[in-house]
Amino acid sequence: AQSVSQHNHHVILSEAASLELGCNYSYGGTVNLFWYVQYPGQHLQLLLKYFSGDPLVKGIKGFEAEFIKSKFSFNLRKPSVQWSDTAEYFCAVNRGRLGKLIFGQGTELSVKP
Amino acid sequence: EAGVVQSPRYKIIEKKQPVAFWCNPISGHNTLYWYLQNLGQGPELLIRYENEEAVDDSQLPKDRFSAERLKGVDSTLKIQPAELGDSAVYLCASSLGDSYANTGELFFGEGSRLTVL
């Protein structure tokens, strides 16, 4: 079945550690890729997105993600996490003109001060 | 600019009771979505509206769920009767864009958390 998979359900890091959250999708053809974040008690919001061009995209708060087409992956990275990055992170895929945004199951990130 | 507004934020009901959720999208956003988010899962699309028209309701359980967006602005999602398995967060989102070119950002509300006892 076509899907979006996030490898880690819960990640616990200390402040200043590096972060990489995995995301794989199984759709063929052209896709648009997103990372959304949900801070505790807040609404889902866009962190970054990839439509085309440079496969390394930069988002807000120092996050970046790399699209590797051959691996059907769009992993999220941050060189040094902060306590305020504690949140749930969702990878999502949109198959362009079909318009439906498909989310992964989410990864909960806990950053210890 | 006001964001997507949803109400109620929390609702506790007994099974077999009806429940309704309301959503007011960002002004000018013609596309409105209702998503279901179960605990530990990502959001799943229930229905998408382009103005007043439901253009994708394939995942909406039509035996008990209904939705409307009569004037192309705010929307209501109803469950009747509710079942235990309906306990979840119901998210509303909106975006700009036409029916077949939605490659942009979705703006989400804070969600309505439903508990069915």
Side-chain angles (χ1 to χ4, degrees):
Chain A
Q2 297 175 327
S3 67
V4 180
S5 298
Q6 294 183 237
H7 311 304
N8 308 100
H9 182 65
H10 192 186
V11 173
I12 303 173
L13 296 173
S14 297
E15 277 194 314
S18 64
L19 170 71
E20 181 161 3
L21 302 182
C23 172
N24 286 91
Y25 62 94
S26 61
Y27 301 98
T30 302
V31 293
N32 303 309
L33 299 154
F34 305 80
W35 277 96
Y36 277 80
V37 60
Q38 187 168 24
Y39 297 103
Q42 297 187 27
H43 58 274
L44 269 167
Q45 57 188 287
L46 183 67
L47 195 57
L48 49 77
K49 60 187 177 184
Y50 172 80
F51 291 161
S52 62
D54 189 343
L56 183 63
V57 293
K58 295 189 183 299
I60 59 173
K61 302 186 180 184
F63 285 90
E64 64 180 31
E66 184 176 13
F67 170 50
I68 303 179
K69 188 174 182 179
S70 62
K71 295 185 178 180
F72 296 87
S73 71
F74 189 56
N75 291 357
L76 181 71
R77 299 195 293 248
K78 185 171 183 178
S80 176
V81 295
Q82 300 173 323
W83 176 79
S84 59
D85 294 324
T86 294
E88 189 152 19
Y89 293 81
F90 294 91
C91 180
V93 175
N94 176 307
R95 298 180 65 196
R97 296 176 71 80
L98 294 179
K100 181 182 290 188
L101 196 62
I102 308 297
F103 285 86
Q105 64 267 50
T107 298
E108 184 179 351
L109 172 65
S110 300
V111 180
K112 299 183 294 184
Chain B
E1 178 183 274
V4 176
V5 179
Q6 292 188 245
S7 68
R9 289 291 312 279
Y10 303 93
K11 188 73 175 179
I12 301 174
I13 61 172
E14 303 220 335
K15 64 181 180 182
K16 300 186 181 179
Q17 294 299 305
V19 64
F21 305 111
W22 175 81
C23 173
N24 192 13
I26 292 173
S27 178
H29 281 194
N30 60 312
T31 308
L32 183 146
Y33 312 77
W34 283 101
Y35 278 86
L36 165 69
Q37 186 175 16
N38 286 303
L39 187 65
Q41 300 295 317
E44 300 173 38
L45 182 67
L46 288 172
I47 189 168
R48 175 167 64 103
Y49 282 93
E50 297 288 344
N51 301 305
E52 303 89 358
E53 183 181 0
V55 297
D56 185 354
D57 63 354
S58 58
Q59 301 303 310
L60 189 72
K62 299 182 182 63
D63 56 336
R64 298 183 299 107
F65 287 65
S66 64
E68 60 183 17
R69 194 186 184 198
L70 295 175
K71 297 183 179 179
V73 181
D74 57 350
S75 175
T76 302
L77 176 70
K78 298 178 182 178
I79 308 174
Q80 182 170 11
E83 297 179 352
L84 294 176
D86 296 332
S87 295
V89 177
Y90 293 83
L91 296 169
C92 181
S94 69
S95 70
L96 281 171
D98 63 30
S99 298
Y100 302 109
N102 181 28
T103 58
E105 178 179 357
L106 295 190
F107 294 82
F108 284 86
E110 293 182 321
S112 294
R113 182 178 295 275
L114 173 66
T115 301
V116 182
L117 303 177

